[in-house]
Amino acid sequence: MLNLNSLNPQQRQAVETLKGPLLILAGAGTGKTRVITFRIAHLIAKGVPPANILAVTFTNKAAREMQERVAKLIPRQTAKAGDKLNRPTICTFHSLCVRILRQHIERLGYKRNFVIYNESEQLGAVKKILAQISVPRGGSEKTDPAAVLALLSRFKNGGERAAVFADESVRALAQHIRSRYETALRACNAVDFDDLILLTLRLFKEHSDVLEACRARYRYVMADEYQDTNATQFQLVHALTVKHRNFCVVGDDDQSIYGWRGAEIGNLLDLEKHFPEVKIIKLEQNYRSTNTILDAANAIIKNNVRRRPKQLWSGKGRGDKIVLRAYTNDDDEARNLVEQIEFARRAHGVPWLHHAVLFRTNMQSRPLETAFRSAGVRYHLIGGQSFFDRSEIRDFLAYLKVFINPHDDISLLRIANVPARGLSDVTMERLLGASHERKGSVFAAMKNPVVQADFQTKARGSIEAFVAFIEKTRVQLHHAASSPRPLQSWSEHFLEETGYFKELQRLEKNPENAEARICNLRELTATLDNFGRPADPLADRLQSFLEDITLDSEREEETETGDAVTLITMHSCKGLEFPRVYIVGLEDGLLPHARSAAEGTLDEERRLFYVAVTRAMQSLTLSHCAGRMRYGQLMPCHPSRFLKELPPELVEDADVRDKQPVNPAAGKKMFDVLRSAIN
């Protein structure tokens, strides 16, 4: 028999409530997955056939975890090996729809062997259509196909709020090609991910027998992370449950942070409109964090007016106070954070993997990654591309490597035609072949008059110009530094001179994306003068910089993950937990984001902060800067308005703590200053 004694009273009540609509308000860290899996097992123990149970969630990882936990709870005779018909259905929304469509899609005029287009295939279809049409009035021939595709997805999923703030010309173009896109996919017997749910809804609407068959099979339905469902996902589960009404919703409105991709928090907040008799059970006992951390989270989130009240608490005691640190700039913030982590590791034996650094935007990773690399601290970046893996950064580093050593074939082949200078792939392949024949480097082949003579006049001119550019730059770099020149100004000059900045603007149809990539380069060039002595030749200082980057890359490749600090965006951290959490960049413009006021998303920004705070298990450190590097310049910053929502008695100022004996009034004094700065 299934033993429910390990559940707390509220968890047990949720597990034992089997009939009718049920809303399980599962606060952060309250064991919602445990409740879902126990509820499935309890349904089976009470005689419900496993085939009549459906649980839908958002990721394959979450679905697999639930399947594994249920398998351990269900008696063996109930889940025979290989007997798929005698197992509960636990899957993602999209996987459920694929199962239904594979059986019935022929009724909609598709063949049963339809293909599902991935993002690159969808993008290819959009590009093909754009190449065939005249851009409508108000549009631009520079419109980014990816932006058009994103809006097509918004339209399908009813994400009108996101579409409202899109570029007007992109929105008009997406509307203009919408029917053509659908026709193009249909002609290939293809569907995209959005179609999986939409076609299932259409199937239910046009063929009631299919809907009734699904209702008869899935008589007990559970939806996980319900606050993240969009309009079409709501319609899907509502269609399945509106008659038998055995619908269990599990979620937390306070953790709804995906409105920008179409999630409708109203699906959870307004559940009574569709199921007036719904029973609500709150899970408020947190098994993750200390009460200091939870009290802070409760204080933050109560400032959102439209929410279902709940009060998280823990049996883990008060714990340490939250530490607040203020820095001059983001480089100081990153360096000091590394010092804190290393002190904890060396003095107290806290491994790297127990630490996580959370930030609002991907661009904040640059100073953090630089500081970790410099200190030799292993880290793992989640939810964003590593700063040093971005194509513009790799291009820049390849240029520097070629200036130091032009016989570095890999680097030279990367940047020979970036930006375009007449050295096509065919030309470079021939030069590479010539270098193999002569057992030398590609650059040596480019300089060889015999090799040059094999090319036509235009290609030969391009080769000669590139060789001259490399050799001229090498002379500049190796010249004695009688009048030292900052590496930052030199590097930005050569990027301008080569036309690389203009190339980024040409390649990126969205001006904001181009500016962001240029900003990435300016941020990196601003750090170059930290290497070597100012009196050294530029080449020696660049060599020092490149060696540092290369050695760090090798250490990263050796260790990969394992014992490593986690660097993660706030949007990617939901569902995770870490003993020690550092939330950096708590400044207005970052959190809340600068766009939040115009887009009416301040409440969602606060929920994002709440999610970040509730990742911490033992200790939480918050920090903000007086200035932050943007576009190569130090821009002034102001503390996040969310900081003043923290109760002063829960927070201690790091400077006060480090320099003075504990003072009960220190927290209040610091917060008075903070409120003054914010206001």
Side-chain angles (χ1 to χ4, degrees):
M1 293 294 293
L2 185 66
N3 186 356
L4 303 182
N5 292 332
S6 62
L7 304 174
N8 68 40
Q10 291 74 31
Q11 290 176 332
R12 182 161 185 161
Q13 184 184 13
V15 167
E16 293 180 329
T17 303
L18 304 181
K19 291 288 187 178
L22 172 65
L23 168 57
I24 303 174
L25 274 178
T30 57
K32 81 175 171 60
T33 303
R34 180 178 178 80
V35 169
I36 294 172
T37 52
F38 264 82
R39 191 171 187 274
I40 293 172
H42 189 58
L43 279 165
I44 295 171
K46 288 295 183 180
V48 175
N52 290 155
I53 301 171
L54 168 66
V56 287
T57 187
F58 279 87
T59 67
N60 289 317
K61 179 182 178 182
R64 283 194 298 269
E65 181 183 354
M66 288 184 193
Q67 289 166 353
E68 291 168 0
R69 290 203 195 184
V70 170
K72 293 178 181 178
L73 293 172
I74 299 175
R76 292 186 178 182
Q77 64 269 23
T78 310
K80 297 177 182 177
D83 185 4
K84 293 185 178 181
L85 293 178
N86 204 34
R87 295 179 185 175
T89 300
I90 305 174
C91 62
T92 65
F93 284 92
H94 292 99
S95 296
L96 171 66
C97 291
V98 170
R99 298 182 189 202
I100 296 171
L101 291 174
R102 287 294 180 200
Q103 296 179 57
H104 305 290
I105 199 169
E106 289 173 318
R107 298 203 191 189
L108 300 179
Y110 289 81
K111 296 178 182 178
R112 191 171 292 187
N113 63 342
F114 64 89
V115 296
I116 303 171
Y117 270 12
N118 60 29
E119 188 174 350
S120 64
E121 291 165 330
Q122 292 174 253
L123 195 58
V126 170
K127 288 179 178 178
K128 187 175 180 180
I129 296 168
L130 292 178
Q132 294 171 346
I133 68 170
S134 298
V135 177
R137 185 177 180 181
S140 167
E141 60 184 35
K142 292 186 176 181
T143 299
D144 183 4
V148 175
L149 178 60
L151 272 187
L152 287 174
S153 178
R154 292 278 185 271
F155 291 147
K156 287 185 176 185
N157 288 291
E160 297 301 326
R161 188 190 81 181
V164 165
F165 296 101
D167 181 87
E168 185 177 346
S169 63
V170 177
R171 187 167 64 249
L173 188 54
Q175 291 171 333
H176 182 70
I177 73 164
R178 187 172 178 177
S179 61
R180 292 187 182 221
Y181 173 75
E182 299 295 338
T183 301
L185 265 62
R186 182 71 175 264
C188 300
N189 194 41
V191 301
D192 61 23
F193 267 80
D194 298 319
D195 288 330
L196 293 173
I197 296 180
L198 290 171
L199 288 174
T200 302
L201 290 173
R202 181 182 153 199
L203 189 65
F204 287 171
K205 183 178 181 180
E206 296 179 5
H207 302 276
S208 59
D209 60 316
V210 175
L211 174 56
E212 291 303 327
C214 289
R215 285 173 175 169
R217 175 172 183 182
Y218 302 122
R219 299 198 57 80
Y220 294 84
V221 177
M222 279 175 276
D224 185 26
E225 301 285 9
Y226 196 64
Q227 76 280 349
D228 295 335
T229 54
N230 60 29
T232 58
Q233 289 159 342
F234 163 76
Q235 292 171 37
L236 179 70
V237 292
H238 185 263
L240 291 172
T241 60
V242 69
K243 281 195 174 180
H244 62 63
R245 307 183 81 74
N246 294 324
F247 184 34
C248 175
V249 168
V250 186
D252 180 11
D253 51 306
D254 290 337
Q255 297 186 73
S256 179
I257 58 174
Y258 300 123
W260 49 275
R261 67 184 187 195
E264 295 284 353
I265 191 173
N267 292 344
L268 188 147
L269 292 176
D270 303 328
L271 190 63
E272 289 91 339
K273 291 182 180 179
H274 307 281
F275 298 92
E277 75 277 29
V278 64
K279 182 175 183 178
I280 301 174
I281 297 174
K282 296 181 182 180
L283 304 184
E284 297 173 297
Q285 183 176 357
N286 177 284
Y287 293 91
R288 174 187 300 155
S289 309
T290 65
N291 281 295
T292 293
I293 293 168
L294 296 179
D295 288 350
N298 291 329
I300 293 164
I301 203 62
K302 74 177 183 181
N303 290 283
N304 278 2
V305 176
R306 191 167 183 254
R307 61 183 289 263
R308 292 182 182 269
K310 61 188 77 68
Q311 189 78 7
L312 297 181
W313 62 276
S314 169
K316 293 195 170 185
R318 295 304 308 166
D320 295 336
K321 284 191 175 184
I322 296 167
V323 177
L324 178 65
R325 294 180 179 269
Y327 297 98
T328 304
N329 56 56
D330 46 350
D331 285 330
D332 286 345
E333 180 182 52
R335 282 193 294 268
N336 185 261
L337 189 150
V338 171
E339 290 173 2
Q340 295 175 58
I341 291 173
E342 280 298 85
F343 177 79
R345 185 174 73 93
R346 295 174 184 274
H348 303 293
V350 182
W352 283 325
L353 62 87
H354 283 188
H355 301 267
V357 185
L358 279 54
F359 43 89
R360 174 63 175 83
T361 65
N362 285 323
M363 67 183 297
Q364 291 173 255
S365 73
R366 193 279 307 165
L368 295 168
E369 290 191 76
T370 300
F372 279 103
R373 286 169 177 262
S374 178
V377 175
R378 293 193 289 271
Y379 67 90
H380 177 47
L381 181 69
I382 301 175
Q385 184 183 30
S386 170
F387 181 82
F388 295 95
D389 284 339
R390 292 169 178 147
S391 60
E392 63 272 18
I393 300 301
R394 292 169 71 90
D395 287 345
F396 177 70
L397 296 177
Y399 263 113
L400 299 187
K401 290 176 182 179
V402 170
F403 293 153
I404 298 298
N405 174 20
H407 303 292
D408 177 350
D409 284 353
I410 293 176
S411 297
L412 185 141
L413 290 169
R414 180 179 179 91
I415 54 88
N417 205 42
V418 179
R421 50 171 64 92
L423 298 174
S424 66
D425 290 344
V426 173
T427 298
M428 296 312 298
E429 286 176 10
R430 290 179 59 189
L431 288 167
L432 183 60
S435 71
H436 287 320
E437 291 176 5
R438 288 164 174 74
K439 295 182 173 55
S441 68
V442 173
F443 188 71
M446 296 178 90
K447 293 176 63 176
N448 191 317
V450 176
V451 174
Q452 291 179 4
D454 287 339
F455 289 87
Q456 294 184 352
T457 304
K458 186 176 180 180
R460 185 165 63 250
S462 297
I463 294 170
E464 291 172 347
F466 180 72
V467 169
F469 163 65
I470 297 298
E471 292 189 327
K472 181 189 74 172
T473 306
R474 281 175 51 74
V475 169
Q476 294 173 350
L477 288 173
H478 286 84
H479 192 272
S482 55
S483 55
R485 181 183 183 185
L487 275 171
Q488 179 179 3
S489 63
W490 168 83
S491 58
E492 292 191 7
H493 174 74
F494 103 71
L495 287 169
E496 290 278 10
E497 185 182 33
T498 60
Y500 189 81
F501 286 153
K502 289 183 178 179
E503 179 76 352
L504 291 179
Q505 292 168 336
R506 183 185 70 82
L507 292 174
E508 290 287 352
K509 307 306 180 186
N510 185 331
E512 289 185 4
N513 291 344
E515 193 60 36
R517 296 180 68 183
I518 292 172
C519 175
N520 288 337
L521 285 167
R522 293 193 190 283
E523 287 194 358
L524 182 60
T525 60
T527 68
L528 295 180
D529 289 299
N530 297 331
F531 296 87
R533 296 177 302 175
D536 290 341
L538 296 182
D540 293 350
R541 292 157 63 192
L542 282 181
Q543 183 72 54
S544 175
F545 167 74
L546 290 172
E547 285 177 357
D548 185 81
I549 293 293
T550 302
L551 289 174
D552 283 327
S553 297
E554 288 176 355
R555 284 196 289 268
E556 210 170 62
E557 289 171 4
E558 288 171 3
T559 58
E560 294 184 356
T561 53
D563 185 17
V565 178
T566 297
L567 304 186
I568 188 168
T569 63
M570 294 181 186
H571 278 106
S572 300
C573 74
K574 190 153 75 76
L576 302 178
E577 59 184 31
F578 307 92
R580 295 174 178 243
V581 167
Y582 307 81
I583 305 177
V584 300
L586 286 171
E587 299 134 25
D588 274 344
L590 282 176
L591 190 76
H593 197 277
R595 294 193 304 266
S596 61
E599 297 181 359
T601 56
L602 187 62
D603 281 3
E604 184 162 318
E605 292 290 299
R606 184 179 283 109
R607 291 195 292 269
L608 191 59
F609 185 32
Y610 171 84
V611 166
V613 167
T614 54
R615 300 311 96 193
M617 300 169 69
Q618 299 170 6
S619 73
L620 176 63
T621 301
L622 312 176
S623 63
H624 61 91
C625 301
R628 188 167 293 274
M629 291 298 294
R630 292 175 186 168
Y631 307 102
Q633 295 185 338
L634 189 66
M635 306 297 289
C637 300
H638 300 283
S640 169
R641 68 193 72 181
F642 294 152
L643 290 174
K644 69 179 181 180
E645 298 175 357
L646 292 166
E649 66 273 12
L650 301 180
V651 182
E652 64 178 341
D653 180 8
D655 291 335
V656 172
R657 182 197 63 185
D658 294 343
K659 296 176 182 178
Q660 301 177 4
V662 176
N663 179 0
K668 185 177 186 306
K669 180 180 178 182
M670 179 272 296
F671 263 85
D672 289 341
V673 174
L674 179 61
R675 283 194 176 93
S676 176
I678 293 173
N679 295 327

